[in-house]
Amino acid sequence: MLKLLSKKIKRCLFTTPTHGQKLPDFKNISPLKGFYRWDYSEIEGFDNLLNPTGSILMAEGRASDIYDTKKTFFLTQGSTTGILAVMKSVLNFKDRVLVARNCHRSVYSGLVITGAAVEWFMPDTKSEISQKWGIMGQINPEELRDVFKLNQYKAFIMTSPTYEGVVSNIEEISKICKEFGVLLIVDEAHGALYNFSNSLPKTAIEQGADFSVNSLHKNAGALNQCALLHVSKDCPFDWREIQNSVNLFHTSSPSYPLIANIEACINFLSSKKGKKAIEELITNISKFQTTLENEGFEFLKGENKDITKILLRLNNADCSKLSDILFDEYNIEDEISSEFCCLYLTGIGTKSSKLNKLKSALIDAKNKKFDKIRIDEAIIPVFQPYPLVKMQPWEAYNRDYIYVQKQNAPLMLSSEMIVPYPPGIGILYPGEAIQQEHLKYLKEDVGVIKP
């Protein structure tokens, strides 16, 4: 595909898109000139992402070799497309599926589409890491085994790494899934660099997952919406079945610039230059952390942590205030923050100069401009309560609803979803009973399913 787009097409095209590969006379979009030059449709000689037989098929084949998979699909609508396609391929109406509660909202969409019956599995919220940092932790394999002993499921869907970079023991989880005949689907959207560095965790596919997705735009240098769906060599499903499901959700007019960007990104990551860039990133982050640790900052680190997701805290300080100061006074924006910590995402585009700017701002804010606010050590982060599923997503989606005042909402079934974004993880979904802990997130008028 890269070679095709690099050639100047000398044709008189009466096809979509009708901009003729030239920048229209629109205002304020001159930076898109290069993008327009590459924007074609499925003209003669170009391959089709929904039924690849030429250059795209070859590019996906090379990707499969690089990732050591049965099949790797290019996705131009994000990892969401991959999640939906896999769920549609493997789950039938009323199939029981176990889902880790910290999964992305796209999994809920898959539950509505497939009609599968969901049960939720809660990641760790009681460990020292969870209590200290206010985040969900790993999937506990032994707890998972106990659940499998009591119930039969078609698949288990989980996220690793988490949004904050916590990595679960997928190898052990995979063994347990295979022991009980459960398919393992891993949302690995934030782990797009793992295949290319021994300094990072092993990929989900390497550790035995049947399916995984990567978002190349998260930290691998690609444009927004560029993603991959991986099918393991040991997966019992034929990749053509998965292709059919991908086609259900993919637009019939996929972007050739994005397809070419995916190919270029993978080629770079797998090259000596790309691997060197990843190692330099890791080295720079390690130095960054060491310097700031000497200044009183603390980082979430260890074997079960992705170093490219910088999660830091300042002892006895409200980190949400720290976040505000960095944004207001230094024009530095984090990915997300709470009173417990700040999250800074890094990737291929994060140079040492960028880290140095953040480092200087943090030190300056800590020493001169930050009024520290002590957090009571007795405070325990309030995680979402265990969901009370009273109506399956597919059924709740099609039910009528009414509005009630918030104070009357507890124990009624929500018709709304509460999904803070980022990170896109649901706190409350339709069909679940509203609990007291949910009320702080709700408006005064709450949508509930009509009795």
Side-chain angles (χ1 to χ4, degrees):
M1 182 52 60
L2 288 170
K3 290 181 179 178
L4 281 173
L5 291 179
S6 65
K7 296 178 180 178
K8 190 172 183 180
I9 306 297
K10 298 179 179 178
R11 300 183 198 168
C12 182
L13 296 176
F14 289 89
T15 64
T16 59
T18 58
H19 52 59
Q21 290 68 55
K22 295 180 181 179
L23 184 67
D25 190 19
F26 300 154
K27 293 182 178 179
N28 303 321
I29 63 167
S30 57
L32 294 177
K33 184 176 182 180
F35 198 92
Y36 273 88
R37 191 182 303 122
W38 283 18
D39 192 31
Y40 292 94
S41 64
E42 293 84 352
I43 61 176
E44 188 68 30
F46 276 41
D47 205 358
N48 189 320
L49 185 63
L50 305 189
N51 181 32
T53 58
S55 60
I56 296 176
L57 182 65
M58 292 175 62
E60 289 187 334
R62 286 193 295 271
S64 294
D65 291 340
I66 290 170
Y67 289 96
D68 195 26
T69 60
K70 177 187 291 187
K71 178 68 176 180
T72 289
F73 295 93
F74 289 4
L75 307 174
T76 62
Q77 292 163 234
S79 288
T80 291
T81 306
I83 293 291
L84 295 177
V86 169
M87 292 180 70
K88 185 63 178 175
S89 295
V90 306
L91 296 174
N92 296 313
F93 185 59
K94 292 191 176 181
D95 276 348
R96 297 179 72 185
V97 56
L98 188 66
V99 180
R101 187 61 178 193
N102 62 340
C103 277
H104 187 263
R105 63 174 293 173
S106 58
V107 175
Y108 173 81
S109 299
L111 293 169
V112 172
I113 291 167
T114 61
V118 65
E119 293 180 26
W120 296 101
F121 185 90
M122 299 302 288
D124 170 61
T125 58
K126 298 179 181 178
S127 68
E128 182 181 352
I129 287 178
S130 295
Q131 298 296 309
K132 187 175 183 179
W133 294 85
I135 61 175
M136 286 188 174
Q138 296 176 299
I139 299 295
N140 186 311
E142 291 310 312
E143 289 183 8
L144 186 67
R145 182 190 294 276
D146 290 342
V147 174
F148 285 168
K149 285 179 180 178
L150 297 173
N151 303 282
Q152 290 184 325
Y153 300 99
K154 184 73 171 290
F156 175 51
I157 305 175
M158 60 172 288
T159 300
S160 182
T162 66
Y163 191 64
E164 299 86 5
V166 176
V167 180
S168 291
N169 186 346
I170 296 177
E171 185 173 1
E172 186 62 28
I173 292 168
S174 172
K175 289 178 182 177
I176 294 170
C177 285
K178 286 177 171 56
E179 178 184 341
F180 289 89
V182 178
L183 291 166
L184 178 57
I185 303 168
V186 180
D187 182 344
E188 197 181 35
H190 282 269
L193 298 179
Y194 292 179
N195 201 74
F196 308 99
S197 173
N198 293 329
S199 303
L200 294 172
K202 289 185 178 180
T203 69
I205 293 294
E206 286 180 292
Q207 296 184 76
D210 294 290
F211 303 94
S212 71
V213 293
N214 293 147
S215 290
L216 294 175
H217 64 92
K218 301 291 189 191
N219 63 350
L223 293 168
N224 267 323
Q225 297 181 216
C226 290
L228 301 170
L229 165 60
H230 304 297
V231 183
S232 167
K233 287 181 176 178
D234 297 326
C235 178
F237 286 79
D238 189 296
W239 68 265
R240 294 169 187 82
E241 297 178 59
I242 313 301
Q243 177 77 70
N244 290 336
S245 294
V246 170
N247 293 353
L248 283 177
F249 303 104
H250 238 313
T251 173
S252 58
S253 303
S255 167
Y256 281 96
L258 293 184
I259 296 171
N261 191 242
I262 293 171
E263 184 181 6
C265 181
I266 295 172
N267 289 346
F268 174 76
L269 293 174
S270 60
S271 68
K272 289 183 179 180
K273 186 176 181 181
K275 292 177 180 179
K276 182 180 178 182
I278 296 171
E279 298 309 317
E280 287 178 351
L281 171 66
I282 295 170
T283 298
N284 291 336
I285 294 173
S286 296
K287 292 178 180 177
F288 169 88
Q289 290 179 337
T290 299
T291 301
L292 285 174
E293 282 172 337
N294 293 332
E295 295 287 339
F297 287 89
E298 184 179 359
F299 295 86
L300 182 57
K301 300 166 72 173
E303 292 182 5
N304 303 318
K305 175 67 174 60
D306 179 346
I307 192 174
T308 67
K309 290 140 189 64
I310 299 174
L311 195 70
L312 63 79
R313 66 195 295 267
L314 188 59
N315 251 347
N316 305 324
D318 184 342
C319 289
S320 64
K321 302 298 182 183
L322 177 64
S323 172
D324 291 341
I325 288 175
L326 260 64
F327 182 79
D328 294 337
E329 300 187 24
Y330 300 91
N331 203 28
I332 294 176
E333 185 170 357
D334 54 43
E335 175 69 10
I336 195 170
S337 63
S338 70
E339 64 268 38
F340 294 93
C341 56
C342 296
L343 176 63
Y344 301 89
L345 298 185
T346 69
I348 290 298
T350 309
K351 305 303 180 185
S352 58
S353 58
K354 191 174 182 179
L355 287 171
N356 288 336
K357 181 178 180 180
L358 174 59
K359 177 178 64 179
S360 298
L362 286 167
I363 293 172
D364 195 35
K366 171 241 177 184
N367 287 334
K368 299 179 181 180
K369 299 179 181 292
F370 185 53
D371 294 330
K372 292 188 289 186
I373 300 176
R374 182 176 180 80
I375 297 176
D376 186 345
E377 292 180 354
I379 289 179
I380 296 176
V382 178
F383 296 99
Q384 57 176 293
Y386 187 85
L388 302 177
V389 179
K390 298 300 181 181
M391 192 177 290
Q392 287 297 326
W394 66 269
E395 185 180 3
Y397 184 82
N398 293 294
R399 290 290 293 267
D400 292 335
Y401 58 89
I402 59 175
Y403 285 96
V404 300
Q405 291 184 327
K406 183 163 67 173
Q407 65 266 27
N408 298 326
L411 298 185
M412 291 186 173
L413 302 189
S414 177
S415 68
E416 303 176 356
M417 61 171 68
I418 303 174
V419 185
Y421 208 95
I425 296 170
I427 294 174
L428 178 68
Y429 286 120
E432 296 176 357
I434 297 170
Q435 302 179 56
Q436 286 292 333
E437 293 90 337
H438 296 137
L439 296 184
K440 63 182 178 181
Y441 299 103
L442 299 175
K443 298 177 180 178
E444 288 305 313
D445 291 328
V446 182
V448 298
I449 293 174
K450 191 174 182 179

